[in-house]
Each structure stands twice: as C-alpha cells, then as structure tokens.
Amino acid sequence: MSAVVVVGAQWGDEGKGKITDFLAGDAEMVVRYQGGPNAGHTVWVNDQQYKLHLVPSGILYPGKACVIGNGVVVDPEVLVAELDYLAARGVDTGSLAISDSAHVIMPYHRVLDGLEEERRGEGRIGTTRRGVGPAYMDKLARIGIRVADLLDPPTFSAKLEQNLREKNTLLERVYGVEGFEKEAIFQRYLALAERFKDRVTDTSVVVNEALDAGRHVLFEGAQGTLLDIDHGTYPFVTSSHPVAAGACLGAGVGPTRIDTVIGVAKAYTTRVGEGPFPTELTGDVGHWIRERGHEYGTATGRPRRVGWLDTVILRYAARVSGLAALAITRLDTLGGLDRVRVAVEYRYDGRTLRHFPHSLKVLAGCEPVYEDLDGWDEDITGLGDLASLPPAARRYLERIEALTGLEVAIVSIGRERAQTIARSNPSQRISARRA
C-alpha cells in the first residue's frame, strides 16, 4: 500500500476536502496534519453537504480510521460542536483519534486574534480570527496548553493560571479590554474534554503502526502552499506548514514513509485575505466565476478573490512539496466562457520571471504573461472519463500538464463525490511510477 499526502497547490480553498474524500475511498486511514478551525473542507455526498473544520474528510466513510495529528491546533468548542453536527447527520465518528500533543486554542487566543488584526489597520493579514495564530505563537513560545493537559486537571490548572497572568495583563493594559476569569475557563474546558477524552492517544504511534502494517494512509493538509509560514506570501500566510513536509511534522512520521504527494489546484485561482495576487480579476469575468463557483469561504463566508490559473504558482508548489501529480478541481465552473487564460510566467521591471518571487514588492509589481485558450459551452458535470470532455477542455488540461510537467491525475467536474474523473487508482499508480 502507500502513504499519500494531499496538499493545496495555491492559496488554499482548492477543493482538498473533496479530493481527500474521493481518495479516502481507497485508503484505510486519513490523517489531518496541520491548521485549525480556520480551515473548512466542504464535501458533497448524495446531494448532502458536509462542512468540516477539524475532523478529517475521510470521516464520511463508515469505519474509516481518522486522525487529528499533533500539528493541528484544536479548539475544543469547535471540535465538540463538529462531533455533535456529524452525529446529528448520522455520521459515525467512533474511529476518530486525537493527538495528545496537539495544542489547544483557548478563549484568550480568539480574542487576541481579533484585537491584533484590528491593531494592524491597513496592514491587516486577513486572519479568520479563530485564535489559530495566537495558539501557534504560544506553542513556539513553549507556554501552550496541549490536549493531554486537559486530561490532567492539576497540570491544566497551573498552566492556565500562569498563562492568564500574562494574557490578562496584555488584554487590560495594552488593549484596554477585560481579562478572563480562570475558573470559568477551567470548568468549561474540563467539561469539553470529557466529551472526547476517550479518543485521545499518541497518534504518532497509531499512524506509524498503520504504515508498518502496510495500510494505505492518506495525509490531509489544510490551507495551501502560498499560505505556508515559510514558503507562502509572508506575512499574508497561516501559522503552520501546509506543504508536504508538514505531514511529517504534524503527524509524527519520518519523510521516508511518504510515497507520493498529490497537489490540488482549481482550474482558476482564488485567495482569501490580503496580499498580492498577480492574476486577480476585478471585473465582470471575476464576478461571474465567483458566483458560478460559489467562491465564499467555508469557515468564514467571506467572498474569495478570483483570478486566472497561474502556472508559475503551480510550478512553485511542485518544487517545494515534490508534487507527483495534480488534481484539478472546478473545471466545470469555467464552462460558458469564450476563452480561458493561463499565466505562464511573469514580467517584472523589464525581466521575465518563470519562478515565483519571495519578495512581496516584486510580486506586487509582476505582470502575468498569458496564453489564451478556447473556452467551451458544454455541460461536463455528468461525464465519466477524460476522453468524453469537450476538446477545448482537454486541451486546457493538456496545457496545464505541459506548463507544470505534472500529470493531471484527477479532475473534479462537479461538487458531488461521484462527479470526479480519475485515471485508475491514481494514488497507487503515481506511487508505482515514482518507485
């Protein structure tokens, strides 16, 4: 069997939830390895919509082993609400395991997230204000509270008291807002922990034992390459590592255990939040794509910025994550356009750039160089194989392959799980080809 990492190849919101759910049909375990409730994965099965924030997308298959890894920051309020939501929808979550070393989002993290974003003014990052950034800050400052601490009341009490001394001083003296009372948080979080304590374990052991047994494990990332804290458009990034290497860190497995990496990209480009966006469309075409593609955030409901497909970005994602193949989503959204455009390189200060620049100043000054391709009018949502696609749609995919050097192994042509075209057994076939 194989270990496959699914990563976002753009600015997040690429449809990783759907692709993970699709691939999970052949997997035996699905592991979420980073991010927090700032992520939202939407999956449609049998015309039913499911919105997931912390629980891996594989949960919609009965009995599928699912893991929230140590690299995730867990908001107990969100986790319990999500478990209740899934139970109410008839989804069995008994197979879910939660890392004992995952860090916990506390109420003061959410408040500080919002206050710090407001303080930035015009320099705001575009955070979802879910407390994710401040929780990762405490993790790196070595003062964070972990899931295991919630199951040890004396340890939790001592850590919470120490943290509140610092956080309340910051809230009251810097931001001029009321601090938090310890006992209310303490009792509330102990009660929440009671709801999921039986699921808490050393998930690194669980995942590695599955790999040792030859089981097919799927690693699910949140956000996307250009939101990676090291490799993204810093500072307009998230606080963790969505790139493929993050799977090793966030799941507790060695890099030699990973067999292949599949990058997920929309047939166009979107992003939420601030920062440069070379192919952004601000006119009627961008609005048309946004509405036709329902481009609004799962976690926040915010409208996404929309632009043409950018293969400079895809080549960058391929390099930093070692992509072996692409899954292209939302191809159906582009149906109806007379032409579609693809950015093949950038022009900056009289120079041609084929590699994605790290400087935001340079990126903001980049002019995309486009290739124009014919569009298509046909409805493709009911097709069953690549050969059935309209010739113009096939040429579009072939051009993506030529410009990125990557095979398009999976194509999403609608919101439903069944509306997916894949070359046979893509994850195993890609792994075999790389071996």
Side-chain angles (χ1 to χ4, degrees):
M1 305 303 281
S2 59
V4 178
V5 183
V6 177
V7 303
Q10 295 160 315
W11 271 291
D13 307 309
E14 301 96 345
K16 294 179 299 299
K18 176 183 177 176
I19 298 303
T20 300
D21 170 80
F22 176 76
L23 292 172
D26 292 324
E28 295 167 272
M29 175 178 287
V30 182
V31 183
R32 168 79 179 275
Y33 63 82
Q34 49 77 223
N38 57 339
H41 289 173
T42 301
V43 179
W44 287 84
V45 182
N46 298 326
D47 208 32
Q48 295 293 310
Q49 183 189 57
Y50 299 87
K51 292 188 176 184
L52 305 172
H53 298 284
L54 288 169
V55 178
S57 299
I59 199 69
L60 300 179
Y61 292 89
K64 190 78 63 177
C66 289
V67 173
I68 296 176
N70 58 274
V72 178
V73 286
V74 176
D75 186 328
E77 298 272 8
V78 174
L79 176 60
V80 169
E82 192 165 333
L83 293 174
D84 288 343
Y85 159 79
L86 289 169
R89 301 287 302 275
V91 177
D92 180 12
T93 61
S95 64
L96 178 67
I98 303 166
S99 173
D100 54 4
S101 58
H103 279 249
V104 177
I105 295 175
M106 304 299 294
Y108 46 79
H109 290 139
R110 293 191 293 268
V111 171
L112 284 169
D113 202 358
L115 291 170
E116 289 168 1
E117 183 74 342
E118 289 298 321
R119 178 181 57 82
R120 294 183 184 105
E122 293 184 359
R124 63 187 182 276
I125 295 171
T127 171
T128 59
R129 308 188 185 207
R130 302 299 176 91
V132 171
Y136 275 116
M137 288 171 64
D138 280 2
K139 175 179 179 176
L140 295 183
R142 293 167 292 185
I143 60 171
I145 292 171
R146 303 198 293 181
V147 169
D149 298 326
L150 300 184
L151 308 186
D152 181 358
T155 298
F156 178 38
S157 177
K159 288 189 173 185
L160 180 59
E161 184 172 345
Q162 178 182 2
N163 280 358
L164 283 178
R165 281 199 296 269
E166 175 187 321
K167 305 303 181 186
N168 283 345
T169 298
L170 180 62
L171 289 168
E172 294 165 2
R173 297 185 184 180
V174 175
Y175 291 105
V177 300
E178 186 177 356
F180 287 89
E181 194 271 318
K182 175 193 168 185
E183 192 61 24
I185 297 175
F186 182 68
Q187 294 300 333
R188 175 60 178 160
Y189 271 57
L190 287 182
L192 289 167
E194 281 292 314
R195 295 286 310 278
F196 56 79
K197 67 178 184 180
D198 293 339
R199 307 169 187 267
V200 177
T201 188
D202 184 342
T203 54
S204 174
V205 172
V206 172
V207 176
N208 277 280
E209 286 181 344
L211 293 170
D212 289 341
R215 299 173 69 190
H216 182 177
V217 179
L218 195 61
F219 296 87
E220 176 187 33
Q223 289 91 33
T225 299
L226 294 185
L227 293 179
D228 186 274
I229 187 68
D230 277 331
H231 300 288
T233 49
Y234 188 90
F236 303 106
V237 294
T238 193
S239 303
S240 58
H241 294 288
V243 297
C248 298
L249 297 170
V253 301
T256 56
R257 319 255 11 203
I258 305 300
D259 293 301
T260 196
V261 184
I262 297 175
V264 183
K266 278 177 182 162
Y268 45 97
T269 308
T270 64
R271 77 169 300 179
V272 172
E274 308 301 320
F277 184 172
T279 67
E280 184 168 15
L281 293 165
T282 57
D284 291 342
V285 174
H287 177 75
W288 185 88
I289 293 174
R290 180 182 300 108
E291 295 306 309
R292 183 172 169 84
H294 308 290
E295 292 296 349
Y296 295 87
T298 302
T300 64
R302 291 185 295 180
R304 295 171 183 144
R305 299 160 65 189
V306 174
W308 294 118
L309 184 68
D310 188 335
T311 61
V312 181
I313 289 174
L314 298 189
R315 290 193 297 270
Y316 177 64
R319 171 159 52 89
V320 298
S321 280
L323 301 184
L326 286 171
I328 298 295
T329 64
R330 301 288 180 93
L331 185 65
D332 53 300
T333 297
L334 297 181
L337 292 172
D338 292 333
R339 68 169 183 173
V340 289
R341 311 192 82 186
V342 180
V344 299
E345 56 194 20
Y346 299 152
R347 187 172 292 116
Y348 174 77
D349 194 25
R351 296 179 289 125
T352 296
L353 303 182
R354 283 190 56 80
H355 298 295
F356 190 78
H358 286 150
S359 166
L360 288 194
K361 180 180 178 181
V362 172
L363 185 63
C366 283
E367 177 186 350
V369 177
Y370 288 113
E371 284 188 9
D372 288 353
L373 300 169
D374 291 336
W376 58 93
D377 288 324
E378 297 92 331
D379 178 8
I380 66 173
T381 57
L383 301 180
D385 56 61
L386 293 174
S388 301
L389 289 173
R394 291 202 306 272
R395 285 194 293 271
Y396 187 63
L397 297 175
E398 289 165 0
R399 193 63 188 133
I400 293 172
E401 291 182 324
L403 290 167
T404 63
L406 297 170
E407 177 187 70
V408 175
I410 303 170
V411 180
S412 171
I413 55 172
R415 67 187 188 184
E416 285 280 340
R417 178 191 289 167
Q419 292 175 307
T420 310
I421 298 174
R423 292 183 165 105
S424 60
N425 227 331
S427 58
Q428 292 190 30
R429 191 171 57 80
I430 294 164
S431 298
R433 191 176 69 245
R434 295 188 76 180

